[in-house]
Amino acid sequence: MIDVIKTLETIKNNVSKANSKLQEIVIDIQKMEDTSKVSDVGSTESLPITVDSNTNNIDSEDSKKRKAMQPRSDVWNHFDKFEVNGVGKARCRYCKQAYAANSSKNGTTGLKNHLLRCKEYPLKIAEDNSQTKLNFQSCQNDE
């Protein structure tokens, strides 16, 4: 019984030491948070710098952005993207006509339809939709 009491007292001492150490760590973390806030010039809000406990690396906002994807539609081989007042646009490389091309609002169907109608589109020019003329040789009987 005396051994159990001594073991319990040892555990109690270890727990109290751990609690005091945890309190010190919490105070240190709060001090670090107060000193690691960065404010932008002309801005009223502060951005905290977060520290990853596993690797001790500082995370930045740029590391969370998605990598730009390659366009999936073949129509982008015939159009150039640009922006006007923050609105996405696309310009035909052949006739220089501009179309709405915001990736979240406008699809590529309008751009594909334009290629079907575009007078300057090289594949459209190569097509000759006129009626085919057949040349027949006349047969004359020499009898």
Side-chain angles (χ1 to χ4, degrees), residues 22-139:
L22 281 174
Q23 288 176 349
E24 291 174 12
I25 293 172
V26 168
I27 291 170
D28 289 342
I29 290 173
Q30 289 173 345
K31 287 179 183 177
M32 286 174 34
E33 286 177 350
D34 290 340
T35 60
S36 67
K37 290 192 178 187
V38 178
S39 62
D40 293 336
V41 176
S43 175
T44 58
E45 63 181 83
S46 297
L47 298 173
I49 297 175
T50 58
V51 178
D52 186 4
S53 62
N54 294 335
T55 60
N56 292 332
N57 291 333
I58 297 175
D59 292 335
S60 66
E61 292 293 324
D62 294 337
S63 66
K64 295 181 182 179
K65 289 185 180 178
R66 295 179 103 187
K67 189 171 82 171
M69 289 179 55
Q70 290 288 333
R72 289 185 235 173
S73 177
D74 290 333
V75 77
W76 292 113
N77 296 331
H78 308 284
F79 286 86
D80 295 318
K81 290 183 181 181
F82 67 99
E83 283 191 11
V84 175
N85 298 329
V87 178
K89 300 274 186 176
R91 175 164 288 136
C92 177
R93 291 183 180 172
Y94 310 110
C95 70
K96 308 299 182 206
Q97 180 70 34
Y99 286 90
N102 186 339
S103 60
S104 62
K105 294 180 183 178
N106 310 106
T108 56
T109 304
L111 304 178
K112 288 178 185 177
N113 289 339
H114 168 74
L115 287 178
L116 295 174
R117 296 186 311 266
C118 182
K119 304 281 186 205
E120 305 295 321
Y121 182 46
L123 294 179
K124 185 76 172 174
I125 294 171
E127 289 179 8
D128 185 13
N129 290 333
S130 63
Q131 184 175 1
T132 305
K133 295 180 183 178
L134 300 176
N135 293 325
F136 291 105
Q137 293 180 353
S138 62
C139 290

